[in-house]
C-alpha cells in the first residue's frame, strides 16, 4: 500500500514544482514515509523542492520530547531526508503563546495558498489530526481539548504514561482547502470507524466523515481496515 500511495502522491505532484506536503504522524503512515525516503535515496522521486507543514502536536511537547508528533516525523522522515529547517513549519506545543503558533502555521500555509497533499490518519473516535468530534468543520488551526479515547490511545507513542489533555492542530477548514487529501487506515481495529466514516452520515460528530465533502479525497485501506464496508472495494490486482 505504501508503494501505491507513494505512486499516487508522485502523480498528484507531477506538475507542482514546489509543493507543500503535510505529513500526519502516527503508526499508519510510517511505511509511506519509509517508502518516500527510499525513493529519495535511489533518486526515483525528488523531494528537494518540497516544503512541509506539520498536522498536529500534543500541547506541552515539541520535537525534543520522545513520542511527540514532531519527534516521530523527524526520526522517520525529516532527518533522514535532510530537510532544511526553513522548509518545515511544525506546531511547537511548548510555545508560550499557542495562538501565535496557530497564526504562524496558517501564515506559512498562506505562502503557498494551500496544502498540496495532506496525509491523514483516523482516530478510534473518527478524529482527523486533533479535530475531535464536534469540531468546527470550517475551523482553522487551533488548540483542542482531547477526547478521552485520544488521551488513551495516544499513550501508545510513549514509553511511560503522559498527561495528554490538549492538542494543537490544523483545523478542518484548513485541511478542506488542500488540493489532495489522502486518508489512510490499516488493520481490523480501524474497520468499524472506517465504515462509519465512509458509509454513515456526514456529521461533525465524526470528523473523518466530513472529508467526503472534499473532491480530492482518496481513501487508502488495507483489507483489515476495509473489512466492514458494505460496498465493493477495489482491490489491488483484483477487479471489482
Ligand atoms: P495511528 O493514529 O496512525 O497511530 O493509528 C491515527 C490517529 O489517531 O489519527
Amino acid at each position: 500500500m505504501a508503494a501505491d500511495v507513494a505512486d499516487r502522491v508522485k502523480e498528484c505532484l507531477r506538475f507542482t514544482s514546489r509543493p507543500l506536503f503535510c505529513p500526519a504522524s502516527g503508526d499508519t503512515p510510517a511505511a509511506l514515509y519509509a517508502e518516500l525516503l527510499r525513493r529519495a535515496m535511489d533518486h526515483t522521486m525528488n523531494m528537494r523542492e518540497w516544503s512541509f507543514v506539520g498536522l498536529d502536536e500534543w500541547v506541552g511537547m515539541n520535537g525534543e520530547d520522545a513520542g511527540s508528533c514532531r519527534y516521530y516525523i523527524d526520526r522517520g522522515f525529516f532527518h533522514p531526508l535532510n530537510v532544511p529547517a526553513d522548509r518545515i513549519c511544525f506546531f511547537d506545543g511548548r510555545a508560550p503563546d499557542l495562538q501565535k503558533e496557530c497564526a504562524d502555521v496558517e501564515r506559512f500555509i498562506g505562502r503557498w495558498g494551500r496544502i498540496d497533499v495532506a496525509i491523514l490518519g483516523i482516530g478510534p473516535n473518527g478524529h482527523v489530526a486533533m479535530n475531535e468530534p464536534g469540531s468546527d468543520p470550517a475551523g482553522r488551526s487551533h488548540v483542542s481539548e482531547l477526547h478521552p479515547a485520544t488521551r488513551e490511545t495516544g499513550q501508545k507513542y510513549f514509553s511511560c504514561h503522559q498527561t495528554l489533555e490538549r492538542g494543537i492542530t490544523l483545523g478542518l477548514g484548513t485541511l478542506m482547502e488542500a488540493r489532495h487529501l489522502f486518508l489512510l487506515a490499516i488493520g481490523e481495529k480501524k474497520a468499524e470507524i472506517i465504515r462509519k466514516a465512509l458509509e454513515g452520515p456526514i456529521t461533525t460528530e465524526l470528523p473523518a466523515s466530513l472529508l467526503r465533502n472534499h473532491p480530492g479525497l482518496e481513501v487508502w485501506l488495507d483489507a483489515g481496515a476495509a473489512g466492514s464496508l458494505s460496498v465493493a472495494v477495489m482491490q489491488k490486482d483484483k477487479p471489482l
Side-chain angles (χ1 to χ4, degrees), residues 78 109 113 159 175 179 197 199 234:
F78 292 156
I109 295 170
S159 55
L175 288 169
R179 277 175 57 216
E199 297 186 347
M234 197 184 330

Side-chain angles (χ1 to χ4, degrees), residues 25-29 121-124 127-129 153 156-157 189-190:
S25 66
D27 293 330
T28 309
I122 183 169
H127 73 207
V128 171
T153 52
K156 70 177 175 171
Y157 306 117
K189 64 181 186 307
K190 294 282 171 79

Side-chain angles (χ1 to χ4, degrees), residues 1 11-13 15 34 75 80 84-85 87 89 98 125 127 132 142 144 154 158 164 176 187-188 214 217 228-229:
M1 186 168 125
E11 206 175 311
C12 291
L13 297 178
F15 302 113
R75 285 181 29 139
R87 284 205 281 112
C89 180
L98 295 175
N125 59 352
H127 73 207
E132 300 285 23
H142 63 282
S144 70
F158 302 95
L164 304 173
M176 290 297 276
E188 273 172 36
H214 191 293
L217 174 68
S228 295
L229 293 176

Side-chain angles (χ1 to χ4, degrees), residues 136-169:
D136 178 1
R140 315 302 305 182
S141 295
H142 63 282
V143 172
S144 70
E145 285 297 319
L146 297 177
H147 187 275
T150 306
R151 296 178 190 203
E152 195 185 311
T153 52
Q155 299 299 331
K156 70 177 175 171
Y157 306 117
F158 302 95
S159 55
C160 59
H161 187 273
Q162 302 289 319
T163 305
L164 304 173
E165 286 174 350
R166 293 186 302 156
I168 181 166
T169 180

